[in-house]
Amino acid sequence: MNTFWKLLKITTFWESHWVAVWVVIDWFPAGFEIDENFIKSELDRRKTGQSRLVSQRKEAENFEIVSGIFEGKTTGHPIMIIIYNSNAKSKDYDNVKNLFRPNHADLTYHQKYWIRDYRWGWRSSARETTSRVLAGSLAKQFLKEKFNTKIFAYTKQVWKFIAKNIDLSIIENNTIRTADKEIAPKMIKLVEEIASNWDTIWGIIECRVKNPLKNLWEPTFWKIKARLADAMLSIWAVQGFEYWAGFDVVNETGYSYNEGFINSAQSSPQWEGVCDFIHSPNNNYSWILWWITTWEDIIFRIAVKPTSSIYKPQKTVDIDWNSVDFQMKWRHDPCILPRVVPIVESMVALVLMDLYLIDRSKR
């Protein structure tokens, strides 16, 4: 399954230590003007080597558009984009050639295929997400230009430190990519301490979609919440998904959760003449009401596991099932959260644009 979505089809070709990373985007509407500088800026947000909080592997992430865009505009034909790998140090992995690294894909890939690329987990590497950001950067441009839809993901929590005073304008002003300027230094200090101890740490990312397209959904098996959950859980490090109230609904009754509707004109002048109602301020539904988007923000969160590659000595087994000691020696992310933020935004953009194209095809 290297191709995903229904109309806006994305196919990825890549492996971390091969020559290049590719993506093919099909069904992107013709005549849309592409900003290549924006594509580069999105790639820069995802890439390694941004700060001490992430892997120090250096990749220029220079992309080449092979097809589908002519004189700056999409042609309606498949768009193919390539990024050539420039810093793949395959020899760094010789010491794990015959070992199964804990919490990596080595063991299961070996059992499934009886062959594996030991250099970096084959297609389980985070390098794969480069393709998603390439495609997502085009979808983000389309949604913003056509509908003023803006997608903001940010680090919500690292261990006990939780962003509460949310200011979306500061996300790119700190290396942990949180939206709370008071908590950012504490998060950063914690990650640096974890890194100095040769370890990694988990966290939670929250995403808010401003001005989402209304009435997006498909019945039964393609509900928008299901598509968002599918997209988020397809990201290699994501362990959980919840939208707004999430699992806290177990503490609610039907009466407290229902939230009566409020007349938009009475609630806020910005909604006057736009829609007939909005929900109450608690937004328990994340403004997805019976699986259909409304005018308000879509809000959800994902749980991101600690990076599996750590420098600490560990126990494992080799391909002959002998117990062995080993220690990883290559570059890793002490905290993957800052790099996951643009990946989340890209996947949301791809989901929304795909559902928009499906909705448009029916009318």
Side-chain angles (χ1 to χ4, degrees):
M1 298 299 293
N2 303 308
T3 301
F4 53 95
W5 310 142
K6 192 173 183 68
L7 289 187
L8 187 70
K9 292 184 181 295
I10 310 300
T11 304
T12 66
F13 306 82
W14 74 279
E15 289 185 24
S16 187
H17 287 257
W18 279 21
V19 175
V21 176
W22 298 263
V23 65
V24 174
I25 309 159
D26 206 359
W27 266 74
F28 201 99
F32 184 77
E33 188 170 352
I34 297 297
D35 182 351
E36 294 189 20
N37 290 327
F38 180 76
I39 299 174
K40 184 65 169 66
S41 68
E42 289 294 280
L43 290 171
D44 287 344
R45 295 174 69 213
R46 191 223 69 95
K47 72 179 182 181
T48 53
Q50 301 177 48
S51 72
R52 292 177 296 178
L53 308 187
V54 300
S55 169
Q56 295 306 296
R57 173 176 174 171
K58 302 289 186 180
E59 288 286 358
E61 305 291 36
N62 296 321
F63 63 91
E64 178 182 344
I65 297 174
V66 178
S67 65
I69 297 175
F70 178 67
E71 294 184 342
K73 293 185 178 181
T74 55
T75 63
H77 299 293
I79 300 169
M80 183 175 185
I81 308 177
I82 296 178
I83 294 178
Y84 292 97
N85 291 329
S86 61
N87 194 11
K89 298 181 179 180
S90 300
K91 291 184 178 180
D92 287 353
Y93 304 93
D94 287 346
N95 70 321
V96 297
K97 181 177 181 179
N98 297 312
L99 304 179
F100 299 124
R101 294 164 293 178
N103 203 21
H104 282 70
D106 299 346
L107 178 60
T108 47
Y109 269 67
H110 182 78
Q111 290 180 325
K112 182 175 178 64
Y113 300 107
W114 290 103
I115 185 173
R116 68 182 174 95
D117 186 338
Y118 60 86
R119 295 170 296 178
W120 194 248
W122 216 342
R123 280 183 62 86
S124 64
S125 167
R127 188 79 178 125
E128 180 267 344
T129 58
T130 308
S131 300
R132 304 185 189 212
V133 173
L134 278 170
S137 65
L138 272 62
K140 286 179 74 173
Q141 290 184 57
F142 183 89
L143 294 172
K144 184 178 179 181
E145 175 68 24
K146 297 293 185 181
F147 309 104
N148 196 31
T149 299
K150 301 176 183 178
I151 305 166
F152 299 91
Y154 61 91
T155 299
K156 176 71 173 180
Q157 180 174 353
V158 180
W159 191 44
K160 66 179 180 180
F161 300 116
I162 304 174
K164 296 179 179 179
N165 300 313
I166 305 304
D167 180 356
L168 300 178
S169 69
I170 70 161
I171 296 172
E172 294 301 313
N173 296 341
N174 59 90
T175 54
I176 195 67
R177 288 205 169 97
T178 189
D180 185 338
K181 65 179 180 181
E182 300 298 329
I183 209 71
K186 298 177 181 178
M187 289 180 171
I188 293 169
K189 182 179 179 181
L190 172 64
V191 174
E192 290 175 343
E193 290 173 352
I194 291 291
S196 66
N197 196 35
W198 293 1
D199 212 342
T200 62
I201 195 168
W202 64 276
I204 292 174
I205 289 175
E206 184 166 273
C207 184
R208 302 190 179 199
V209 183
K210 299 285 185 181
N211 303 318
L213 289 71
K214 70 168 186 173
N215 299 334
L216 284 186
W217 82 303
E218 288 300 305
T220 313
F221 298 116
W222 271 69
K223 300 179 180 73
I224 186 168
K225 289 183 292 192
R227 302 318 303 156
L228 288 172
D230 182 17
M232 294 304 108
L233 292 170
S234 74
I235 300 171
W236 89 109
V238 175
Q239 298 291 297
F241 170 90
E242 66 173 9
Y243 67 93
W244 202 227
F247 286 99
D248 284 343
V249 295
V250 299
N251 300 315
E252 301 278 358
T253 67
Y255 182 78
S256 64
Y257 183 71
N258 270 358
E259 297 191 286
F261 296 139
I262 300 174
N263 182 284
S264 58
Q266 294 175 356
S267 173
S268 176
Q270 68 172 318
W271 296 107
E272 187 171 3
V274 177
C275 59
D276 294 330
F277 67 86
I278 62 171
H279 302 133
S280 62
N282 291 331
N283 190 6
N284 282 340
Y285 312 115
S286 182
W287 305 108
I288 301 174
L289 184 60
W290 275 92
W291 315 298
I292 305 175
T293 56
T294 63
W295 294 96
E296 275 283 5
D297 297 357
I298 296 172
I299 305 174
F300 66 84
R301 291 173 297 280
I302 59 172
V304 181
K305 73 178 183 69
T307 313
S308 301
S309 297
I310 59 176
Y311 289 150
K312 287 181 177 292
Q314 299 176 82
K315 295 280 188 181
T316 190
V317 296
D318 61 22
I319 59 176
D320 296 316
W321 309 114
N322 298 310
S323 296
V324 295
D325 297 315
F326 90 108
Q327 186 173 7
M328 296 182 181
K329 300 178 180 179
W330 49 87
R331 304 152 292 182
H332 76 292
D333 293 90
C335 180
I336 200 69
L337 294 169
R339 296 178 57 210
V340 174
V341 163
I343 301 167
V344 169
E345 294 175 356
S346 291
M347 296 300 286
V348 172
L350 292 168
V351 169
L352 294 179
M353 186 170 175
D354 187 43
L355 287 173
Y356 161 71
L357 293 175
I358 294 170
D359 184 65
R360 190 179 71 170
S361 71
K362 292 182 175 181
R363 291 184 284 137

